[in-house]
Amino acid sequence: MTGQSTALKLLGLCALLAFPLMPFSSEYVLHVAVLIMVYAVLAMGLNVLPGFCDLLDLGYVGFYGIGAYTAGILSLNYDMSFWVVVPLAAALGALCGVLRGAPTLRLSGDYFAIVTFGFTELVVLFLTNEIWLTRGPLGMPGIPPIDINLSWLGIDWRYDFMSETPYYYLGLLMVAFVYVVMCRIEDSRLGRAWLSIKEDPLAAASCGINLMAYKSVAFAFSAAVGALAGCFMARWSMFLAPDVFKFWESFLVLCMIVLGGLGNINGAIVGSVVLIALGEVLRVVLPHFGLPTETRFLAYGLLMILIMRFKPGGIFPAIAATSKKSRLIMDLKARLQAERAG
Amino acid sequence: MNFKRGLVMALAMAAFLAVGNLAMAADVIKIAVPSPFTGSAAGYGDNVKAGVSMKVDEINAKGGVNGMKVEAVYFDEQCDPKEAATVGTKIAGDKDLVAIVGHLCSGAHLAALPNYVRTGVAALSPTATNVTISDKGKDSKGLYWSFRNVYLDDFQGVFLADYMSKVLGLKKVAVFYENNDYGIGLKDAFLKQAKAIGLTIVGEEAYMKGATDFTPQLTKLKGAAPDALFISGYYSEAALISDQAKKLGMNVPKFGADGMDNADYIKLGGPAADNTYLTTPFLAETAGPDAKAFIDAYKAKFKRDVDWMSANAYDAAGMILEAVSKVGADRAKIREYLASINTKEKAYKGITGLTYFNEKGDCVKPAYVKMVKNGQFVPAEKQMTN
Amino acid sequence: MFEQQLFNGLTLGLIYALIAVGYTMVYGVIELINFAHGEVYMFGAFLCVTIINSLGVPLFPAMVLAMGLCALMGVSIDHIAYKPLRKAPRLAALITAIGVSIFLQNIAMIIWGSRPVPFTRSAVPAAFSEQAFALGSVSVSGLQLFIYLFTTAMMIGLTLIINKTKVGTAMRALAQNATAAALMGINVNRVIAFTFALGSSLGAAAGILVAMYYNTMSATMGYNAGVKAFAAAVLGGIGSVPGAMLGGVVLGVAETLGAGYVSSQYRDGLGYAVMIAVILLRPSGLLGKSVGQKA
């Protein structure tokens, strides 16, 4: 933690801020950059359950879908502003998160994985079949872009997000916000409680940690972040269809955090950058070999198996350490790691 | 550590930028063709590609447009709205692409359209039949950027109801529809017309895309003893429906629209595919002399019979390139030119007949009926005379 | 009509049961949800058709061959992917299982394409597509009759293996207490391999029957069937073999009746809803032992 690393960080921040002004950036490049940010938020949100609490969530995009459709329906039918929709969608997401987790609170983690699996499928079925509400497989076109409207302050000023650039900056803000919150929580009482539940639930309960309450908070928090990403995505892509929220997406996000290392916030971001960029490269490369673009999931599947087998801490275990401030927790984690390896 | 992370990021970024910005020479005219070339709809995408490539080769053999070679750039969007939105920004951002032939699927077309409207590039779909598209092509100045040289679902639904009742004299019809934009739009138009002309609907059931077991719904429909089964959906499910209907002893004629018009319908359905009637925008047997040359050349080149998607894509590419030859490689002027084709007199004469647009970029085209007989597509004996 | 739906549902249910026992047996011995099981089922169908088409082998030998290959495949999956993780945290094995499933599905997509493929029509005996018998308004085809007989025979065989043979006893011992079983001289890894082989070959048989019954197969077919069979296993009580059989039949019949009388759009949702309801109300399932909180 020297001045040098601070300087590097500042430099990186400047580069990120100046990115849209660079000659090589185009609408397409920015579009992919924004896509990366959406997935970075999803990956950080998903990370809460498998990473902090050791619960495998196989249906995370369900919340992404709930957030996106909440934003879509409220914006399209009631003409609500993005800034009003965000808290509403996040709250609904949190509620669904608690409801989804509730049946499994007393059971082993396997049951949680199964329930989450069924949950997304039910969400997608609901979005597909309740045509009166969601327009079903027709999809929902014509969602308005995000705007900043100051008329409520009595100032006649309005800005519409008409290109990728404003979304890029807003996305950056969103990633930064979620990142900071995640880092604070990881080092807080809440984060430590989750860690203790993950490592030894029995001991945690004996120390007076209310397992059910802390787990429920994790469910709600993780889901709310997913809904936030969905909200942003809806007003950015301006089109929603139920197919966007299928199991494959959950898998992709899971793959990102496995790549970055479970429980590693920095890793989640790196994982999303690598996999989305890789996906775009493979989109161009695969057809040259006569392979369908979906086969990129072959690589993802293999990647997951290999990482779990040989590098369970992710491919960048080192970067996890950079965000930590509490020496106590760091020492504890190192000891637990050593114990497991030995 | 920071260095390592930075390196990984930089490498990922560099690889991705390299792919995004493959610069190319500028003295060719490039048109974008976004369609599914992989995935479950890839068969359709191949047809569109074949049609467009025929037109492009033909024009290039004659020396190109205004002395410049023409190149079709194909983009794979797998008929997936999310992929289509990404591909859409890519196309809209590449100013070398003067216009678009696509998308193939209505859902993908709808998802990508906001990009085209925002940046101002005309998209002419040879195949997207969904009704909703009409209203989504308008920009803030009231200009429409979406065109299509295929008829709409509501037209097919009305046509089929008329054909069943007036030409074949059927009385009771059971309806089996796929629960998506295409299936519902088509079914609704059909039901409305059926009601208007006194065709009795004895049952109405839905199914999901990708389903394999249709026996519960078919058992129920069979109980209503219909004269005919109208399947409002795509070929892969329709083939299974025909097969399972036959196994249940439901031997009635089947009806469908463009979504079932694929050789795989016969391959998957086997003998059960017989006695199926389909609407089609293009029938090789009834086409004019221009089309005959195309049909022969197509068969020689691709070793298969021409289908309507190839024919429509051929004409769509033809319209775009005619626009380029008249007004130059300018996105806005190409749109203006296409929009100006708005009466029968100004219509584009292609192999699929006359094409001209209404104020929303939609068009009216004649429909024909073909049927499956002994494992082959043949024109139906009775066509409807408009 | 109701009776007809019931018989059609029974056909589907018996097939689910055949897949579900594979899940439940593996869960019984190593407490792992083997997500790749649905893919083994899919491979069974594709391998059978490939053997028929390229080697000209008749249906029944091809079926046996495909089941054998899938048994081998199941054992290899365990050996390569799961075995190294026996002592790792459970999450690692679960994630690996998902990875294997996705990997296999995409391999199949590369080999056989992503479009649906019909079952080789000429290889199916003509009697299968004809009516075998009729009871009042109910008509049962030759293939349906074959499915009833075949699956029942398989289940009886399986029950005998588990209850009457040495390896079956070892499997049960392992499910009770793996450490104690090992201490009693049971070769744990060999018993696990046997369990995978047995479950996978039954899954493959189910895949072949489904492909024949609906006359179609696709690389993605394992996903849906896998989830539903898993729901059946949960319904019956995960870890319980008779429970999985009962769960499969109940789910298949419920699904068919639901699609026929309630809502065909939510038909796939029924499986998930049943699964969640069982976990909520009776986590031990219909025939399972009670489950408590497991660390």
mmCIF file of all heavy atoms in Angstrom, chain C residues 253-283:
data_model
loop_
_atom_site.group_PDB
_atom_site.id
_atom_site.type_symbol
_atom_site.label_atom_id
_atom_site.label_comp_id
_atom_site.label_asym_id
_atom_site.label_seq_id
_atom_site.Cartn_x
_atom_site.Cartn_y
_atom_site.Cartn_z
ATOM 1 N N VAL C 253 -47.776 -37.939 -14.311
ATOM 2 C CA VAL C 253 -49.237 -37.923 -14.418
ATOM 3 C C VAL C 253 -49.770 -36.519 -14.110
ATOM 4 O O VAL C 253 -50.602 -35.980 -14.842
ATOM 5 C CB VAL C 253 -49.858 -38.970 -13.462
ATOM 6 C CG1 VAL C 253 -51.365 -38.812 -13.400
ATOM 7 C CG2 VAL C 253 -49.498 -40.378 -13.923
ATOM 8 N N ALA C 254 -49.231 -35.905 -13.047
ATOM 9 C CA ALA C 254 -49.700 -34.569 -12.671
ATOM 10 C C ALA C 254 -49.451 -33.578 -13.802
ATOM 11 O O ALA C 254 -50.298 -32.740 -14.116
ATOM 12 C CB ALA C 254 -48.981 -34.101 -11.406
ATOM 13 N N GLU C 255 -48.292 -33.713 -14.443
ATOM 14 C CA GLU C 255 -47.945 -32.779 -15.507
ATOM 15 C C GLU C 255 -48.893 -32.925 -16.691
ATOM 16 O O GLU C 255 -49.365 -31.935 -17.256
ATOM 17 C CB GLU C 255 -46.510 -33.064 -15.937
ATOM 18 C CG GLU C 255 -45.839 -31.896 -16.562
ATOM 19 C CD GLU C 255 -44.466 -32.267 -17.052
ATOM 20 O OE1 GLU C 255 -43.604 -32.563 -16.218
ATOM 21 O OE2 GLU C 255 -44.274 -32.273 -18.271
ATOM 22 N N THR C 256 -49.167 -34.174 -17.073
ATOM 23 C CA THR C 256 -50.039 -34.391 -18.216
ATOM 24 C C THR C 256 -51.460 -33.910 -17.931
ATOM 25 O O THR C 256 -52.080 -33.235 -18.758
ATOM 26 C CB THR C 256 -50.057 -35.881 -18.581
ATOM 27 O OG1 THR C 256 -48.710 -36.306 -18.732
ATOM 28 C CG2 THR C 256 -50.800 -36.118 -19.871
ATOM 29 N N LEU C 257 -51.954 -34.235 -16.746
ATOM 30 C CA LEU C 257 -53.299 -33.778 -16.403
ATOM 31 C C LEU C 257 -53.336 -32.260 -16.308
ATOM 32 O O LEU C 257 -54.276 -31.609 -16.769
ATOM 33 C CB LEU C 257 -53.759 -34.398 -15.077
ATOM 34 C CG LEU C 257 -53.982 -35.914 -15.103
ATOM 35 C CD1 LEU C 257 -54.468 -36.397 -13.743
ATOM 36 C CD2 LEU C 257 -54.979 -36.304 -16.184
ATOM 37 N N GLY C 258 -52.271 -31.682 -15.731
ATOM 38 C CA GLY C 258 -52.202 -30.228 -15.613
ATOM 39 C C GLY C 258 -52.223 -29.566 -16.970
ATOM 40 O O GLY C 258 -52.934 -28.585 -17.200
ATOM 41 N N ALA C 259 -51.447 -30.119 -17.907
ATOM 42 C CA ALA C 259 -51.386 -29.529 -19.243
ATOM 43 C C ALA C 259 -52.723 -29.685 -19.960
ATOM 44 O O ALA C 259 -53.145 -28.826 -20.720
ATOM 45 C CB ALA C 259 -50.273 -30.187 -20.056
ATOM 46 N N GLY C 260 -53.386 -30.808 -19.710
ATOM 47 C CA GLY C 260 -54.654 -31.049 -20.391
ATOM 48 C C GLY C 260 -55.801 -30.252 -19.815
ATOM 49 O O GLY C 260 -56.674 -29.807 -20.535
ATOM 50 N N TYR C 261 -55.812 -30.064 -18.497
ATOM 51 C CA TYR C 261 -56.997 -29.462 -17.880
ATOM 52 C C TYR C 261 -56.775 -28.086 -17.268
ATOM 53 O O TYR C 261 -57.712 -27.323 -17.107
ATOM 54 C CB TYR C 261 -57.549 -30.394 -16.798
ATOM 55 C CG TYR C 261 -58.056 -31.676 -17.382
ATOM 56 C CD1 TYR C 261 -57.303 -32.836 -17.326
ATOM 57 C CD2 TYR C 261 -59.283 -31.709 -18.053
ATOM 58 C CE1 TYR C 261 -57.755 -34.009 -17.902
ATOM 59 C CE2 TYR C 261 -59.736 -32.873 -18.626
ATOM 60 C CZ TYR C 261 -58.971 -34.028 -18.545
ATOM 61 O OH TYR C 261 -59.423 -35.175 -19.120
ATOM 62 N N VAL C 262 -55.538 -27.767 -16.885
ATOM 63 C CA VAL C 262 -55.345 -26.483 -16.207
ATOM 64 C C VAL C 262 -54.691 -25.475 -17.133
ATOM 65 O O VAL C 262 -55.339 -24.590 -17.671
ATOM 66 C CB VAL C 262 -54.524 -26.652 -14.905
ATOM 67 C CG1 VAL C 262 -54.502 -25.348 -14.139
ATOM 68 C CG2 VAL C 262 -55.107 -27.764 -14.047
ATOM 69 N N SER C 263 -53.400 -25.605 -17.377
ATOM 70 C CA SER C 263 -52.712 -24.623 -18.199
ATOM 71 C C SER C 263 -51.502 -25.275 -18.837
ATOM 72 O O SER C 263 -50.618 -25.753 -18.137
ATOM 73 C CB SER C 263 -52.271 -23.446 -17.331
ATOM 74 O OG SER C 263 -51.157 -22.819 -17.919
ATOM 75 N N SER C 264 -51.477 -25.314 -20.152
ATOM 76 C CA SER C 264 -50.337 -25.952 -20.797
ATOM 77 C C SER C 264 -49.116 -25.044 -20.766
ATOM 78 O O SER C 264 -48.000 -25.510 -20.878
ATOM 79 C CB SER C 264 -50.681 -26.325 -22.233
ATOM 80 O OG SER C 264 -51.134 -25.208 -22.935
ATOM 81 N N GLN C 265 -49.340 -23.725 -20.590
ATOM 82 C CA GLN C 265 -48.185 -22.820 -20.570
ATOM 83 C C GLN C 265 -47.344 -23.016 -19.318
ATOM 84 O O GLN C 265 -46.143 -22.855 -19.327
ATOM 85 C CB GLN C 265 -48.626 -21.357 -20.618
ATOM 86 C CG GLN C 265 -49.107 -20.907 -21.962
ATOM 87 C CD GLN C 265 -50.618 -20.822 -21.986
ATOM 88 O OE1 GLN C 265 -51.303 -21.787 -21.717
ATOM 89 N NE2 GLN C 265 -51.143 -19.655 -22.297
ATOM 90 N N TYR C 266 -48.013 -23.321 -18.207
ATOM 91 C CA TYR C 266 -47.281 -23.454 -16.948
ATOM 92 C C TYR C 266 -46.879 -24.889 -16.672
ATOM 93 O O TYR C 266 -46.486 -25.229 -15.566
ATOM 94 C CB TYR C 266 -48.107 -22.885 -15.791
ATOM 95 C CG TYR C 266 -47.971 -21.392 -15.693
ATOM 96 C CD1 TYR C 266 -48.973 -20.544 -16.134
ATOM 97 C CD2 TYR C 266 -46.806 -20.827 -15.205
ATOM 98 C CE1 TYR C 266 -48.820 -19.168 -16.065
ATOM 99 C CE2 TYR C 266 -46.637 -19.465 -15.127
ATOM 100 C CZ TYR C 266 -47.661 -18.636 -15.555
ATOM 101 O OH TYR C 266 -47.503 -17.287 -15.492
ATOM 102 N N ARG C 267 -46.982 -25.739 -17.689
ATOM 103 C CA ARG C 267 -46.705 -27.150 -17.483
ATOM 104 C C ARG C 267 -45.290 -27.391 -16.957
ATOM 105 O O ARG C 267 -45.105 -28.153 -16.020
ATOM 106 C CB ARG C 267 -46.952 -27.840 -18.821
ATOM 107 C CG ARG C 267 -45.913 -28.795 -19.219
ATOM 108 C CD ARG C 267 -46.285 -29.504 -20.479
ATOM 109 N NE ARG C 267 -45.871 -30.872 -20.325
ATOM 110 C CZ ARG C 267 -46.215 -31.837 -21.121
ATOM 111 N NH1 ARG C 267 -47.015 -31.587 -22.128
ATOM 112 N NH2 ARG C 267 -45.794 -33.039 -20.922
ATOM 113 N N ASP C 268 -44.293 -26.718 -17.542
ATOM 114 C CA ASP C 268 -42.928 -26.912 -17.050
ATOM 115 C C ASP C 268 -42.753 -26.335 -15.658
ATOM 116 O O ASP C 268 -41.883 -26.766 -14.907
ATOM 117 C CB ASP C 268 -41.923 -26.258 -17.999
ATOM 118 C CG ASP C 268 -41.812 -27.029 -19.295
ATOM 119 O OD1 ASP C 268 -42.206 -28.207 -19.303
ATOM 120 O OD2 ASP C 268 -41.348 -26.459 -20.293
ATOM 121 N N GLY C 269 -43.587 -25.367 -15.333
ATOM 122 C CA GLY C 269 -43.494 -24.751 -14.008
ATOM 123 C C GLY C 269 -43.972 -25.678 -12.906
ATOM 124 O O GLY C 269 -43.553 -25.555 -11.761
ATOM 125 N N LEU C 270 -44.848 -26.622 -13.270
ATOM 126 C CA LEU C 270 -45.417 -27.514 -12.263
ATOM 127 C C LEU C 270 -44.324 -28.264 -11.510
ATOM 128 O O LEU C 270 -44.353 -28.363 -10.291
ATOM 129 C CB LEU C 270 -46.376 -28.501 -12.923
ATOM 130 C CG LEU C 270 -47.147 -29.363 -11.937
ATOM 131 C CD1 LEU C 270 -48.247 -28.554 -11.295
ATOM 132 C CD2 LEU C 270 -47.725 -30.585 -12.616
ATOM 133 N N GLY C 271 -43.347 -28.763 -12.277
ATOM 134 C CA GLY C 271 -42.249 -29.494 -11.658
ATOM 135 C C GLY C 271 -41.547 -28.661 -10.606
ATOM 136 O O GLY C 271 -41.310 -29.118 -9.482
ATOM 137 N N TYR C 272 -41.243 -27.406 -10.954
ATOM 138 C CA TYR C 272 -40.523 -26.533 -10.019
ATOM 139 C C TYR C 272 -41.394 -26.202 -8.824
ATOM 140 O O TYR C 272 -40.919 -26.152 -7.691
ATOM 141 C CB TYR C 272 -40.090 -25.243 -10.704
ATOM 142 C CG TYR C 272 -39.393 -25.470 -11.999
ATOM 143 C CD1 TYR C 272 -39.891 -24.985 -13.195
ATOM 144 C CD2 TYR C 272 -38.217 -26.213 -12.023
ATOM 145 C CE1 TYR C 272 -39.244 -25.219 -14.379
ATOM 146 C CE2 TYR C 272 -37.568 -26.450 -13.214
ATOM 147 C CZ TYR C 272 -38.086 -25.953 -14.393
ATOM 148 O OH TYR C 272 -37.457 -26.189 -15.564
ATOM 149 N N ALA C 273 -42.677 -25.960 -9.110
ATOM 150 C CA ALA C 273 -43.580 -25.600 -8.026
ATOM 151 C C ALA C 273 -43.689 -26.762 -7.037
ATOM 152 O O ALA C 273 -43.619 -26.560 -5.823
ATOM 153 C CB ALA C 273 -44.951 -25.232 -8.582
ATOM 154 N N VAL C 274 -43.818 -27.978 -7.574
ATOM 155 C CA VAL C 274 -43.895 -29.164 -6.717
ATOM 156 C C VAL C 274 -42.628 -29.267 -5.877
ATOM 157 O O VAL C 274 -42.670 -29.471 -4.660
ATOM 158 C CB VAL C 274 -44.069 -30.441 -7.577
ATOM 159 C CG1 VAL C 274 -43.772 -31.682 -6.761
ATOM 160 C CG2 VAL C 274 -45.475 -30.499 -8.141
ATOM 161 N N MET C 275 -41.489 -29.057 -6.549
ATOM 162 C CA MET C 275 -40.208 -29.178 -5.880
ATOM 163 C C MET C 275 -40.117 -28.189 -4.716
ATOM 164 O O MET C 275 -39.748 -28.554 -3.590
ATOM 165 C CB MET C 275 -39.140 -28.858 -6.913
ATOM 166 C CG MET C 275 -37.776 -29.288 -6.603
ATOM 167 S SD MET C 275 -36.826 -29.294 -8.130
ATOM 168 C CE MET C 275 -36.572 -27.563 -8.389
ATOM 169 N N ILE C 276 -40.473 -26.933 -4.983
ATOM 170 C CA ILE C 276 -40.366 -25.911 -3.941
ATOM 171 C C ILE C 276 -41.360 -26.203 -2.817
ATOM 172 O O ILE C 276 -41.034 -26.077 -1.637
ATOM 173 C CB ILE C 276 -40.563 -24.505 -4.550
ATOM 174 C CG1 ILE C 276 -39.393 -24.205 -5.481
ATOM 175 C CG2 ILE C 276 -40.649 -23.445 -3.456
ATOM 176 C CD1 ILE C 276 -39.507 -22.931 -6.265
ATOM 177 N N ALA C 277 -42.562 -26.643 -3.208
ATOM 178 C CA ALA C 277 -43.572 -26.933 -2.189
ATOM 179 C C ALA C 277 -43.111 -28.077 -1.291
ATOM 180 O O ALA C 277 -43.262 -28.019 -0.070
ATOM 181 C CB ALA C 277 -44.898 -27.281 -2.851
ATOM 182 N N VAL C 278 -42.526 -29.114 -1.891
ATOM 183 C CA VAL C 278 -42.059 -30.246 -1.092
ATOM 184 C C VAL C 278 -40.977 -29.799 -0.117
ATOM 185 O O VAL C 278 -41.003 -30.138 1.065
ATOM 186 C CB VAL C 278 -41.536 -31.376 -2.005
ATOM 187 C CG1 VAL C 278 -40.812 -32.427 -1.176
ATOM 188 C CG2 VAL C 278 -42.675 -32.005 -2.772
ATOM 189 N N ILE C 279 -40.054 -28.987 -0.636
ATOM 190 C CA ILE C 279 -38.962 -28.534 0.231
ATOM 191 C C ILE C 279 -39.506 -27.696 1.385
ATOM 192 O O ILE C 279 -39.049 -27.786 2.518
ATOM 193 C CB ILE C 279 -37.948 -27.732 -0.608
ATOM 194 C CG1 ILE C 279 -37.204 -28.693 -1.532
ATOM 195 C CG2 ILE C 279 -36.967 -26.999 0.283
ATOM 196 C CD1 ILE C 279 -36.272 -28.026 -2.482
ATOM 197 N N LEU C 280 -40.527 -26.918 1.071
ATOM 198 C CA LEU C 280 -41.107 -26.037 2.080
ATOM 199 C C LEU C 280 -41.881 -26.835 3.142
ATOM 200 O O LEU C 280 -41.751 -26.597 4.336
ATOM 201 C CB LEU C 280 -42.039 -25.047 1.381
ATOM 202 C CG LEU C 280 -42.591 -23.888 2.199
ATOM 203 C CD1 LEU C 280 -41.444 -23.054 2.719
ATOM 204 C CD2 LEU C 280 -43.497 -23.032 1.341
ATOM 205 N N LEU C 281 -42.688 -27.805 2.660
ATOM 206 C CA LEU C 281 -43.616 -28.466 3.576
ATOM 207 C C LEU C 281 -43.096 -29.782 4.134
ATOM 208 O O LEU C 281 -43.367 -30.138 5.276
ATOM 209 C CB LEU C 281 -44.947 -28.715 2.865
ATOM 210 C CG LEU C 281 -45.604 -27.460 2.277
ATOM 211 C CD1 LEU C 281 -46.792 -27.825 1.411
ATOM 212 C CD2 LEU C 281 -46.025 -26.511 3.393
ATOM 213 N N ARG C 282 -42.409 -30.532 3.288
ATOM 214 C CA ARG C 282 -41.979 -31.851 3.736
ATOM 215 C C ARG C 282 -40.661 -32.181 3.047
ATOM 216 O O ARG C 282 -40.622 -32.936 2.067
ATOM 217 C CB ARG C 282 -43.047 -32.879 3.357
ATOM 218 C CG ARG C 282 -42.835 -34.230 4.007
ATOM 219 C CD ARG C 282 -43.913 -35.218 3.586
ATOM 220 N NE ARG C 282 -43.401 -36.569 3.678
ATOM 221 C CZ ARG C 282 -43.359 -37.284 4.806
ATOM 222 N NH1 ARG C 282 -43.795 -36.752 5.903
ATOM 223 N NH2 ARG C 282 -42.865 -38.497 4.805
ATOM 224 N N PRO C 283 -39.569 -31.605 3.552
ATOM 225 C CA PRO C 283 -38.285 -31.758 2.864
ATOM 226 C C PRO C 283 -37.859 -33.207 2.704
ATOM 227 O O PRO C 283 -37.030 -33.521 1.850
ATOM 228 C CB PRO C 283 -37.304 -30.994 3.750
ATOM 229 C CG PRO C 283 -38.068 -30.385 4.832
ATOM 230 C CD PRO C 283 -39.502 -30.746 4.725
#
